[in-house]
Amino acid sequence: MHSIKASGYAAACRKTINVILIFLVFFSVACKKTTDIKAVPPPPPFTPPGNSNVILILGDDVGYEIPTCNGGQSYSTPNIDFMAQQGMRFTQCHSSPLCSPSRVMLLTGKYNFRNYVDWDTLNITQKTIANMFKDAGYKTACYGKWQLGGGDQSIHTFGFDNYCVWNPIGPDTKGSRYKNPEIYTNGAFVTPDLTLNKYGEDIFTDSVMNFIENNKSSPFFIYYPMVLTHEPFSPTPDDPQFAAWNPDLGTSDKNYFPSMVKYMDKKIGLILNKLKTLGIDKNTIIIYSGDNGTPSGIVSRFNNTNIIGGKGVTTEYGTHVPLVVYWPGYVSGGIINKDINDFTDFLPTLADLVKIPRPVTFGTLDGVSLEPQITNNTGTPRDWIYTYFKPHITDPVKVWVQNTNYKLYMSGEFYNIITDILERHPIPAGSLTPSEKVIKAQFEQVIASLH
């Protein structure tokens, strides 16, 4: 009996060993296949053709956690996701915490201490991305939220041939941006009877598509600062409540925010389809970003974590925004870039992508071109970004420098923004590691040189 048990035990052991051997062979093959997949070389570098069209789309109050392609789980963004899947997605783009400072940075390529005046204002002496394109022979247009003051004179002075905008002059001209919108074009406000029961974003998207149609044979630049998804949160034309909604009441209901995100994405999809239908999609660069963090009343699911919107706050949730570059036929699909960048980088990036000279008459420019990353070439990414934040003339100044891991304020607080993303626990000077001391010293030098 004992010998029978032993024999059976030995057979069982041999069987087990055989199974293990088979598993090891399979595992080694699987590992080899996985290694082979990872070893696929990166896309080859390419040279931009020059004179390509550019559409710069800016979502309003859309933080990094909103698009699904970034890890968002609360909203539907199939068209933004498509652009990311077929283009390049940047994971470390930063704006200012609020919209007016962000727009000044983006359009002029300069840090705010050089040219920021006050809310709703861009100094008439400044030059913008549109001036750069217009000087290079491009047709130019702005459709959407202006919020830089000056009306018709400023819009044209800043390089835009055509426009249809909301908030053209300042706080006193703010009517509805959504239902029954207050629209300004050709130096005058559109009469209310022409916008009754219309939706602002529909008018702006239609204007974009009409401009594309009329200029399909010429190089063009379109700046499309969307009004979505800013407050007041309200129904879109796709919601059954839209017909009875009265925007004059000023009601805001954050339950409509997901619908507003979805409608924003839908409008982007219409533009993509328009370009493809006209056969000019491969000659058009589309850049999508948000202007600052998501509003504080909005809680979004992101990578299985609840994120409270950080608009207006100087933490990551106030400045970290999505950035997608879509250029079919040139930018290879599904590329993720982790280099840190900010809104001053857009102007030199676009100049280099379309092969026009960077302007030498605009004064000091602070941006660093992302063209090498986008064209799969070797570039020199930033080590840090700098922010000067004084949104209203009566506000105190906040200045900081950061990279992807650390952040130093001019006031002295130094944070590890990976382990302390809400910046609740500044690192004491006595607790700094040698490498942290080096980083902090570098940041101090940057602040001293720029402020």
Side-chain angles (χ1 to χ4, degrees):
M1 177 70 72
H2 178 75
S3 61
I4 293 174
K5 286 184 176 180
S7 175
Y9 177 76
C13 286
R14 285 194 298 271
K15 184 176 180 181
T16 301
I17 291 170
N18 287 337
V19 171
I20 292 173
L21 289 172
I22 292 170
F23 172 77
L24 289 174
V25 170
F26 173 79
F27 181 75
S28 66
V29 172
C31 286
K32 184 178 186 303
K33 288 182 178 179
T34 302
T35 302
D36 289 343
I37 291 172
K38 290 183 178 179
V40 173
F46 68 89
T47 301
N51 289 328
S52 296
N53 307 315
V54 174
I55 303 176
L56 176 54
I57 304 175
L58 195 64
D60 199 352
D61 290 359
V62 180
Y64 184 82
E65 73 276 9
I66 298 298
T68 305
C69 58
N70 287 344
Q73 297 166 291
S74 296
Y75 312 103
S76 175
T77 57
N79 292 296
I80 297 173
D81 300 342
F82 171 80
M83 290 195 296
Q85 292 160 3
Q86 301 300 318
M88 180 174 288
R89 178 170 67 88
F90 287 83
T91 65
Q92 286 293 332
C93 180
H94 288 262
S95 65
S96 177
L98 288 171
C99 49
S100 274
S102 290
R103 291 157 201 269
V104 172
M105 287 174 63
L106 184 151
L107 289 175
T108 67
K110 299 178 182 181
Y111 297 131
N112 282 163
F113 77 89
R114 298 194 193 280
N115 61 2
Y116 189 82
V117 179
D118 200 0
W119 194 262
D120 276 352
T121 304
L122 178 58
N123 192 309
I124 201 72
T125 64
Q126 293 299 308
K127 299 290 186 178
T128 75
I129 292 176
N131 292 121
M132 179 182 75
F133 277 106
K134 185 176 176 64
D135 291 346
Y138 275 62
K139 302 295 185 181
T140 60
C142 174
Y143 302 115
K145 176 180 176 179
W146 178 243
Q147 200 185 49
L148 295 169
D152 181 82
Q153 180 184 2
S154 288
I155 296 172
H156 284 307
T157 299
F158 294 136
F160 294 101
D161 298 320
N162 297 78
Y163 68 88
C164 176
V165 299
W166 175 82
N167 190 18
I169 298 171
D172 293 336
T173 65
K174 287 184 180 179
S176 172
R177 74 188 77 192
Y178 295 129
K179 188 176 180 182
N180 306 341
E182 186 173 78
I183 302 295
Y184 181 84
T185 187
N186 297 323
F189 287 96
V190 176
T191 56
D193 60 300
L194 295 178
T195 61
L196 183 64
N197 296 322
K198 302 286 181 61
Y199 193 66
E201 206 69 83
D202 290 341
I203 294 172
F204 299 136
T205 306
D206 289 346
S207 298
V208 169
M209 294 193 293
N210 288 336
F211 184 83
I212 293 172
E213 177 76 43
N214 294 333
N215 294 279
K216 57 181 179 290
S217 300
S218 305
F220 60 76
F221 167 68
I222 300 172
Y223 172 48
Y224 181 18
M226 305 182 79
V227 291
L228 285 166
T229 56
H230 197 288
E231 289 187 89
F233 306 127
S234 57
T236 74
D238 285 348
D239 295 306
Q241 298 88 346
F242 180 79
W245 188 265
N246 183 356
D248 294 336
L249 298 178
T251 306
S252 183
D253 184 347
K254 64 183 179 181
N255 289 315
Y256 288 113
F257 187 75
S259 177
M260 296 169 75
V261 172
K262 185 176 181 180
Y263 204 80
M264 172 191 67
D265 185 86
K266 176 183 176 180
K267 299 282 99 177
I268 293 171
L270 293 177
I271 295 171
L272 294 177
N273 290 336
K274 182 67 172 181
L275 295 168
K276 192 171 184 62
T277 299
L278 293 175
I280 59 173
D281 53 323
K282 293 185 178 180
N283 191 41
T284 304
I285 305 165
I286 300 182
I287 296 179
Y288 173 82
S289 187
D291 68 343
N292 50 241
T294 309
S296 59
I298 301 298
V299 180
S300 307
R301 195 71 176 163
F302 172 76
N303 287 337
N304 298 318
T305 302
N306 288 335
I307 303 296
I308 299 174
K311 175 182 176 179
V313 182
T314 62
T315 65
E316 288 289 282
Y317 294 137
T319 68
H320 192 192
V321 293
L323 174 58
V324 174
V325 178
Y326 172 71
W327 194 4
Y330 292 98
V331 176
S332 300
I335 299 177
I336 299 174
N337 187 286
K338 298 180 181 180
D339 295 338
I340 195 166
N341 59 88
D342 68 28
F343 272 20
T344 65
D345 299 337
F346 284 47
L347 189 152
T349 298
L350 291 175
D352 292 351
L353 283 176
V354 302
K355 302 177 74 172
I356 59 178
R358 297 189 196 181
V360 296
T361 60
F362 284 20
T364 301
L365 297 176
D366 296 300
V368 176
S369 177
L370 299 171
E371 185 266 350
Q373 290 93 317
I374 294 170
T375 59
N376 306 321
N377 285 281
T378 301
T380 306
R382 284 177 173 270
D383 293 324
W384 48 265
I385 58 171
Y386 167 96
T387 306
Y388 177 98
F389 184 56
K390 184 180 171 65
H392 298 89
I393 199 167
T394 56
D395 290 333
V397 175
K398 285 191 175 183
V399 172
W400 65 89
V401 176
Q402 70 173 87
N403 58 22
T404 56
N405 292 347
Y406 292 96
K407 186 172 184 179
L408 174 68
Y409 286 88
M410 186 172 65
S411 51
E413 295 92 348
F414 185 58
Y415 295 94
N416 182 324
I417 53 177
I418 299 297
T419 60
D420 183 19
I421 194 168
L422 295 178
E423 301 176 13
R424 292 172 174 166
H425 308 288
I427 306 172
S431 300
L432 296 175
T433 66
S435 62
E436 288 173 339
K437 290 179 181 179
V438 171
I439 293 170
K440 184 179 180 183
Q442 179 197 20
F443 288 179
E444 288 172 340
Q445 291 177 356
V446 172
I447 290 174
S449 67
L450 290 173
H451 184 70

